[in-house]
Amino acid sequence: MLRHLLLSAAVALPMALAGGNAGAVESNDPIKLTLHDWTGQLITTRIMGSVLQKAGYNVEYVQADYLAQFAGLKTGDLHVAMEIWETTGREAMDEATATGQVENLGETGMQAIEEWWYPTYVKEQCPGLPDWEALADCAELFSTAETAPDGRYLGGPVTWGGFDEERVEALELPYVVVHAGTDAALFAELESAYQRKAPILLWIYAPHWAPIKYEGEWVAFPPYEKACYEDPAWGINPDLTHDCAKPRGPIWKVAWKGVAEKWPGAHEAIQAFHVENDEMGRMIAAVDLDGRPVEAVVEEWVSANESRWKPWIGQ
């Protein structure tokens, strides 16, 4: 079953040698941390993995689908997922934890925003923004040869979820959702449009460097409430759900229930993990804008923050 969940084969890493404490670990079996397809999650996960290695744990990184990974977490084929966003992953997380096979290990310290976004210069041609109702009148502005006369909304990769198609239908917006193939492709298209001052409407998220580098705004949809996603009678459209904004809130850590019993020290360390939006945004920028390897940025953070992470592993 797991074979169908994974996007690529697992990459096993040996136990840390320098600074390791292998004699104190509860099991030498590898702790499998999932990797996804956006830079921030790679950084978060490798920071946690590096810290666990410092404590002597054997760590294995496994490339996995963001939402489909929960099947592996339930069975124990996967062990830890370091970023479950309130904005897009809450339903899958709640379903998994309700089974008793997956445990919520608390907040990462980062606060998530994922929403439709446009550059500020677009408001000159669509002055009703950021009110979502202005999008209907400005659809032609955002149209392409493929979508005309409808506008185009550039969403994230399909695996991210987000309910954009449902939102378009529920709010009766004349737009076609086109998904970027990768995180890099999403922001490459934004850069190209921004340089040309071309209209673009797309998925932007934080923590990330994009809302810092580019001047723009998130679209103001009807405020999110849980009922919006569950009860068609809620909101503007009495027949459909998702007629509201996406939720905002914490980015969570989750684990297979067996982690607490098999690797209790690692379990405590993962619970203690904490970084915040600003520092994560800077690290993402170092990778995406400055071209530095993820591993180098992580190593720099670990070296500079011993006083923060050593207490996570009882040192």
Side-chain angles (χ1 to χ4, degrees):
M1 181 196 307
L2 182 59
R3 180 179 304 137
H4 300 290
L5 297 176
L6 305 183
L7 301 180
S8 68
V11 180
L13 297 183
M15 282 200 307
L17 299 177
N21 188 23
V25 303
E26 305 85 9
S27 171
N28 289 327
D29 290 346
I31 303 174
K32 297 179 181 180
L33 280 68
T34 61
L35 295 176
H36 305 317
D37 54 356
W38 67 93
T39 303
Q41 196 272 346
L42 302 180
I43 293 171
T44 302
T45 304
R46 288 188 179 272
I47 287 175
M48 189 72 256
S50 179
V51 171
L52 292 176
Q53 287 181 310
K54 295 290 187 184
Y57 290 99
N58 190 7
V59 171
E60 184 176 317
Y61 296 117
V62 181
Q63 192 77 30
D65 182 281
Y66 174 51
L67 296 178
Q69 70 178 330
F70 282 101
L73 290 166
K74 291 175 188 176
T75 61
D77 292 315
L78 302 172
H79 300 139
V80 179
M82 288 300 298
E83 288 196 14
I84 304 300
W85 290 46
E86 179 79 13
T87 48
T88 51
R90 186 60 191 249
E91 286 188 2
M93 180 177 69
D94 286 350
E95 187 279 329
T97 56
T99 67
Q101 303 303 310
V102 176
E103 180 183 5
N104 184 335
L105 296 187
E107 300 181 18
T108 60
M110 296 179 286
Q111 295 292 310
I113 301 174
E114 295 185 89
E115 193 54 272
W116 294 29
W117 184 98
Y118 58 89
T120 303
Y121 59 75
V122 171
K123 291 181 73 172
E124 296 178 5
Q125 301 172 71
C126 188
L129 291 172
D131 190 319
W132 70 273
E133 292 181 289
L135 293 175
D137 295 331
C138 300
E140 187 174 354
L141 175 66
F142 295 105
S143 68
T144 66
E146 293 74 24
T147 68
D150 292 338
R152 184 189 72 150
Y153 166 73
L154 181 61
V158 173
T159 58
W160 292 5
F163 302 106
D164 288 318
E165 287 85 356
E166 290 85 349
R167 181 170 294 104
V168 165
E169 182 181 6
L171 292 175
E172 299 180 349
L173 290 172
Y175 282 78
V176 176
V177 177
V178 177
H179 291 278
T182 65
D183 182 66
L186 181 71
F187 293 106
E189 186 151 350
L190 171 58
E191 174 67 19
S192 175
Y194 203 88
Q195 291 297 327
R196 295 179 287 113
K197 293 294 185 285
I200 187 169
L201 182 66
L202 76 165
W203 179 323
I204 292 288
Y205 62 89
H208 195 267
W209 51 263
I212 299 172
K213 178 180 179 180
Y214 303 111
E215 185 177 345
E217 298 175 328
W218 277 288
V219 174
F221 288 106
Y224 168 82
E225 290 185 18
K226 187 177 181 181
C228 171
Y229 276 34
E230 299 174 349
D231 182 5
W234 184 98
I236 296 169
N237 189 324
D239 301 314
L240 295 173
T241 58
H242 299 90
D243 48 348
C244 64
K246 300 181 183 183
R248 300 185 180 191
I251 298 176
W252 306 91
K253 304 159 288 190
V254 300
W256 168 54
K257 71 167 186 177
V259 171
E261 180 178 351
K262 188 169 185 177
W263 302 282
H267 183 267
E268 291 182 8
I270 297 162
Q271 285 183 307
F273 175 96
H274 185 94
V275 297
E276 296 185 353
N277 282 36
D278 288 346
E279 63 181 330
M280 180 55 64
R282 290 192 295 270
M283 287 190 280
I284 296 170
V287 175
D288 288 356
L289 300 183
D290 301 338
R292 299 185 62 199
V294 169
E295 294 80 2
V297 172
V298 168
E299 182 179 356
E300 183 177 273
W301 187 94
V302 171
S303 297
N305 289 276
E306 286 192 0
S307 63
R308 290 175 61 183
W309 60 258
K310 280 190 171 180
W312 301 354
I313 56 175
Q315 294 184 8

